[in-house]
Amino acid sequence: MTLSEIRQLIQSDIHATDQLILSRLASDVVLINQIGHYIVNSGGKRLRPLLVLLSARACDYDGQDHLTLAAVIEFIHTSTLLHDDVVDESETRRGNKTANEVWGNAASVLVGDFLYSRSFEMMVEPGLMRVMEIMSETTNVIAEGEVLQLLNCHDADTTTERYMEVIHRKTAKLFEAATLLGPVLANKPNLEEGFAAYGRHLGAAFQLIDDALDYMADADELGKNLGDDLAEGKPTLPLIYILENGSEDEKALVRRAIETDGIALLQEVTDIIQNSGALAFTQSVAQSEADKAKAALEDLADSPLKTALLSLADLAVNRNH
């Protein structure tokens, strides 16, 4: 299934969630409205809230709380983007200027805080302590992942294990929460472990491909400057592969790029990565994660919604932006 076909399955839920996001962004503080609408309407994939909606419907949930929680997941994701762009000093995202570039760092951080607090205000509405447990743990793990990534920056001795730990905390954890909420809402505890594993592995696959695209995509399609990861000194898997498998000269160049001169050496590093097995290796690890995600849903009865979830795992790997 294509992404548009997947969305068509739950189009009414998607529309209702979009409307809810816009209405719950509302604040009598004008700047919050401006920045919130700017980033929420900036063309993101809305993949995480889509996972909440698909998971709930795949578990035969027939209520409305999944709409609220889909909006919660999107608000948490959006707040992390606002904070990330400040930390990374990013100037563009999804082809647009970042909020911190337009309004400054202080406003971006504070509006990110607003979105976090609004999400917690909303997540109590279903009245389920299990939801609160999942989301409070998730936001804490994401914050830990951000700090771990900061510790890895400019560290050319970062191992694959440390890199994957950052991915699992910073990215995969929110995917895991999004898919776990479906069986929780539907009161199907027998499906919780499988759905959580599906989201966790899907999120890892998604981030691995993102990290590969930084050295192979078209900048306009990707929606950010190529080489941003290298400029920020982030030792992602393509770079770690060279450090572990490249020639001595290649290792020395990549080490210097991570530690000091990232953007100045971007073209040389990109050439090394593209002419080695680094991208194929990263894609193979992503495919392995996608395969694990699909295997995790084996206990779910066949349906168009299950097909949609399985297709998303394939789409996470086979994309160019």
Side-chain angles (χ1 to χ4, degrees):
M1 296 176 76
T2 65
L3 187 57
S4 61
E5 289 171 336
I6 292 170
R7 291 181 181 279
Q8 195 59 44
L9 280 177
I10 52 168
Q11 191 56 52
S12 60
D13 279 352
I14 292 173
H15 178 72
T17 301
D18 287 345
Q19 295 302 115
L20 185 61
I21 286 170
L22 291 174
S23 68
R24 299 305 290 267
L25 267 176
S27 168
D28 56 7
V29 179
V30 174
L31 187 59
I32 289 175
N33 288 325
Q34 290 177 326
I35 296 178
H37 282 83
Y38 181 81
I39 191 166
V40 166
N41 292 322
S42 62
K45 301 179 183 69
R46 295 268 173 94
L47 182 56
R48 293 155 187 83
L50 178 66
L51 286 169
V52 179
L53 303 176
L54 286 172
S55 297
R57 293 308 192 196
C59 293
D60 300 319
Y61 176 69
D62 59 3
Q64 297 296 308
D65 286 333
H66 65 315
L67 306 177
T68 301
L69 295 181
V72 164
I73 291 287
E74 182 66 6
F75 281 169
I76 290 173
H77 176 56
T78 302
S79 66
T80 64
L81 297 185
L82 284 164
H83 289 163
D84 278 357
D85 286 341
V86 171
V87 171
D88 296 339
E89 299 178 6
S90 300
E91 297 177 355
T92 60
R93 180 179 288 278
R94 299 165 182 161
N96 301 314
K97 288 184 177 181
T98 55
N100 52 294
E101 182 71 8
V102 178
W103 286 280
N105 289 341
S108 292
V109 169
L110 293 171
V111 172
D113 292 345
F114 166 82
L115 290 173
Y116 255 131
S117 58
R118 177 53 55 89
S119 70
F120 272 85
E121 189 177 57
M122 293 171 64
M123 72 178 69
V124 304
E125 293 173 11
L128 295 172
M129 182 57 70
R130 181 83 173 102
V131 169
M132 295 297 296
E133 290 172 351
I134 291 166
M135 296 313 305
S136 57
E137 187 217 2
T138 295
T139 53
N140 193 252
V141 169
I142 291 170
E144 290 176 331
E146 297 283 1
V147 177
L148 281 176
Q149 180 171 265
L150 187 64
L151 292 173
N152 287 350
C153 279
H154 301 293
D155 183 358
D157 293 319
T158 299
T159 62
T160 300
E161 289 72 26
R162 280 169 58 193
Y163 162 77
M164 292 300 296
E165 182 70 13
V166 168
I167 279 184
H168 284 127
R169 289 174 182 262
K170 184 173 179 290
T171 301
K173 189 63 180 179
L174 191 58
F175 278 75
E176 177 184 325
T179 52
L180 177 55
L181 290 171
V184 168
L185 285 175
N187 194 26
K188 293 190 175 180
N190 59 306
L191 294 177
E192 286 186 18
E193 184 176 346
F195 271 72
Y198 166 83
R200 183 165 61 252
H201 291 299
L202 175 65
F206 187 87
Q207 186 61 55
L208 283 157
I209 294 301
D210 258 15
D211 291 346
L213 288 173
D214 206 48
Y215 297 98
M216 62 188 288
D218 178 271
D220 290 333
E221 282 186 325
L222 190 58
K224 69 172 187 174
N225 297 322
L226 297 183
D228 273 357
D229 288 344
L230 188 63
E232 294 155 12
K234 293 177 181 176
T236 56
L237 194 58
L239 296 173
I240 294 171
Y241 178 89
I242 300 299
L243 289 169
E244 293 179 349
N245 300 281
S247 68
E248 291 306 312
D249 286 345
E250 290 171 342
K251 291 178 182 179
L253 182 74
V254 169
R255 176 173 288 274
R256 181 153 63 92
I258 291 171
E259 292 177 346
T260 56
D261 303 319
I263 203 65
L265 297 172
L266 174 60
Q267 190 57 57
E268 293 171 82
V269 171
T270 300
D271 289 344
I272 290 171
I273 287 174
Q274 292 183 345
N275 292 318
S276 70
L279 293 176
F281 175 72
T282 303
Q283 288 172 307
S284 72
V285 177
Q287 185 62 60
S288 175
E289 291 289 339
D291 291 342
K292 290 175 184 175
K294 291 191 286 185
L297 295 182
E298 61 184 3
D299 291 338
L300 181 65
D302 289 340
S303 72
L305 289 158
K306 178 179 179 178
T307 301
L309 290 167
L310 297 176
S311 297
L312 274 179
D314 292 326
L315 290 170
V317 176
N318 301 306
R319 60 192 175 92
N320 57 12
H321 65 281

